[in-house]
Amino acid sequence: MNLIGKYKLLFVFMNTGFIGNLVVIYYLSKGITYGQIGLVSAISALGFFLFEVPTGVVADKVSRKTSVLIGMSLFSLGTVILIFLRNFPMLIAYAVVSSLGSTFVSGSLQAWLFDNLKHLSLEGMYREVMRDVKTITLVSSAFSISAGAFLAQLYGFTIPLLLTLIMEIGAFVIALSIPEYGFKKVVIPYHLHVLHSARELLRDDLLPLILVSITVTMSVNQFRKFFEPYLGEMLTRSLGTTLMGTLGLLGIAEVLVKTLPRLVGIRLKREWSVKAYKIAPLTIPVFTALSVLFQNPIFAVVLGIIVGVINAAFGFNVSVEFQHRIPSEKRATVLSLDMMFSAVVMAVFYALYGFAVDTFGLSEARLLFSVVLFGIGLAFKLASFGPLKKPLELRHLTE
């Protein structure tokens, strides 16, 4: 199997999970509250803040491959903790381990792929390779999440969690077989390397892109956070069943809302992809508000599909743009610092949102936060016609 084929297989194994966002219902079944889930999400985000820089430096000064392998090992450990989950402290332990694993992989995996392609003079294929990779992984995850949902409904959550663990171990074995070409270790001292990388984030062509990306991420996460129990409550009222009795339908809904729209979003023609990128900061909060104002399960799923398509196109364009704007020798650490900065914002967001749901109710909190995020998105949209026009343009499309 050639290099690109191995990467595609690696991404398939990494992204073929059997539980997806239904894990929130798994938490609730263990007696964990929405507020506690929000707090754990905040802890996980803070884990990114604490671990991103050290792990990013490992990737730039030791090896991108080594960093990815460490991260994958931690993913497996986290899944083992999740299988034996009994209480809130164990969930905190899972959040810490999984966030540490994510920081070892984030940035490093993409930088490893980009540098390998660059070594082979194939860096111009990066966008196409990533589009193919995401297409394959989304198809595989669509089937696995649907299957996992019905397995959870019939037999409980242990079986889909075990299947996820098997896929994670398989991903580790595949990553071990992939070579690392063209890697150059950073030779300057640790603190200077981090400082120089941090300065990249303040560049006029990077900081606005980072900020608008964080805004869209918050909007998408707000739509999806607790979406499964939110949709489940509507289904239980409509069908006269229990929340656990809706798991199969919720698994199908997750594929429709999260997986298949991403497949469409990354395969959009360039013109439509750019349009989705431009409208994302405004439209996603609007759709979240509509999901509250008109509470119907089918309508909510349709809105989720549209949100997924727009977000997929937005995220894909931003990720490719980042790879083209960041210097190779600083790529992993810059991406880690970006994740670190984003994590601080998301930690505050998750904590506030979780406790807002406990305090005001799920519908009321969704509506309140969607209005706030719409205001932030509107500010970016107006600025894109003026001072932020050039920084927010997708330059890689013209290179």
Side-chain angles (χ1 to χ4, degrees):
M1 185 179 295
N2 61 26
L3 179 70
I4 294 177
K6 285 187 176 182
Y7 270 113
K8 289 180 179 180
L9 188 60
L10 172 61
F11 275 92
V12 166
F13 272 69
M14 287 184 64
N15 292 278
T16 304
F18 289 83
I19 190 166
N21 285 342
L22 292 180
V23 72
V24 173
I25 297 177
Y26 178 56
Y27 298 158
L28 294 173
S29 71
K30 297 295 183 178
I32 297 168
T33 68
Y34 285 113
Q36 289 174 326
I37 296 172
L39 183 59
V40 166
S41 299
I43 292 171
S44 181
L46 285 175
F48 278 95
F49 174 78
L50 294 173
F51 306 137
E52 275 291 353
V53 170
T55 57
V57 173
V58 168
D60 282 337
K61 294 181 73 69
V62 180
S63 163
R64 275 81 189 267
K65 179 177 179 177
T66 300
S67 183
V68 170
L69 291 173
I70 294 172
M72 289 180 175
S73 300
L74 291 170
F75 285 156
S76 298
L77 175 59
T79 302
V80 170
I81 295 174
L82 204 57
I83 290 171
F84 294 99
L85 182 67
R86 293 292 181 271
N87 50 45
F88 183 54
M90 288 186 70
L91 186 57
I92 292 176
Y94 164 73
V96 173
V97 171
S98 61
S99 64
L100 179 58
S102 296
T103 56
F104 272 107
V105 174
S106 67
S108 302
L109 181 57
Q110 289 79 8
W112 181 17
L113 170 58
F114 191 87
D115 285 346
N116 275 358
L117 292 176
K118 189 174 182 179
H119 176 77
L120 300 173
S121 299
L122 299 174
E123 66 269 26
M125 293 180 59
Y126 180 79
R127 180 185 175 91
E128 187 69 22
V129 170
M130 287 305 298
R131 189 176 71 172
D132 290 342
V133 161
K134 289 181 180 294
T135 299
I136 297 170
T137 57
L138 289 172
V139 171
S140 66
S141 63
F143 285 104
S144 63
I145 290 173
S146 299
F150 282 102
L151 286 171
Q153 180 174 331
L154 295 172
Y155 306 109
F157 285 94
T158 301
I159 291 178
L161 285 171
L162 284 172
L163 291 173
T164 300
L165 179 61
I166 291 171
M167 297 302 293
E168 290 170 345
I169 295 172
F172 179 89
V173 174
I174 296 168
L176 201 60
S177 70
I178 299 176
E180 187 168 26
Y181 300 124
F183 174 69
K184 296 180 180 179
K185 295 181 180 180
V186 177
V187 296
I188 65 174
Y190 171 93
H191 66 285
L192 291 178
H193 173 67
V194 174
L195 180 60
H196 293 169
S197 298
R199 288 174 180 171
E200 296 288 332
L201 297 180
L202 301 178
R203 281 169 32 191
D204 293 340
D205 64 334
L206 277 184
L207 185 58
L209 193 64
I210 292 170
L211 294 177
V212 75
S213 178
I214 291 174
T215 300
V216 172
T217 300
M218 282 194 293
S219 297
V220 172
N221 285 349
Q222 196 234 328
F223 186 94
R224 291 178 176 168
K225 195 69 176 176
F226 308 136
F227 179 73
E228 284 71 24
Y230 180 66
L231 180 62
E233 288 176 2
M234 287 189 279
L235 287 172
T236 55
R237 290 195 298 268
S238 301
L239 303 176
T241 184
T242 64
L243 186 59
M244 290 297 292
T246 66
L247 289 181
L249 291 175
L250 291 177
I252 295 174
E254 181 172 347
V255 170
L256 293 174
V257 170
K258 182 180 178 183
T259 307
L260 294 184
R262 290 172 61 192
L263 178 61
V264 175
I266 63 174
R267 305 295 299 189
L268 286 176
K269 291 184 177 180
R270 185 169 295 188
E271 178 184 355
W272 288 101
S273 181
V274 172
K275 287 181 179 179
Y277 165 80
K278 291 180 178 179
I279 66 174
L282 284 179
T283 54
I284 295 175
V286 169
F287 290 140
T288 305
L290 290 174
S291 72
V292 176
L293 298 176
F294 304 97
Q295 294 191 16
N296 177 279
I298 296 177
F299 183 61
V301 170
V302 171
L303 290 175
I305 292 171
I306 300 172
V307 167
V309 171
I310 294 173
N311 178 58
F314 175 87
F316 183 67
N317 280 295
V318 169
S319 64
V320 175
E321 191 69 22
F322 259 62
Q323 293 293 337
H324 282 261
R325 294 191 190 187
I326 300 171
S328 178
E329 71 277 4
K330 301 175 184 177
R331 185 169 289 120
T333 301
V334 170
L335 290 173
S336 292
L337 288 168
D338 172 40
M339 292 293 295
M340 174 180 168
F341 177 56
S342 302
V344 176
V345 180
M346 294 309 300
V348 175
F349 169 78
Y350 284 135
L352 291 176
Y353 191 52
F355 285 108
V357 171
D358 273 348
T359 303
F360 303 112
L362 192 49
S363 297
E364 292 77 3
R366 284 176 70 86
L367 185 60
L368 173 63
F369 275 72
S370 66
V371 171
V372 173
L373 290 169
F374 176 81
I376 298 173
L378 180 61
F380 275 109
K381 186 61 178 177
L382 294 174
S384 69
F385 293 107
L388 298 185
K389 182 178 181 179
K390 288 186 176 180
L392 296 181
E393 287 179 344
L394 297 175
R395 301 179 190 175
H396 73 272
L397 296 178
T398 59
E399 291 180 356

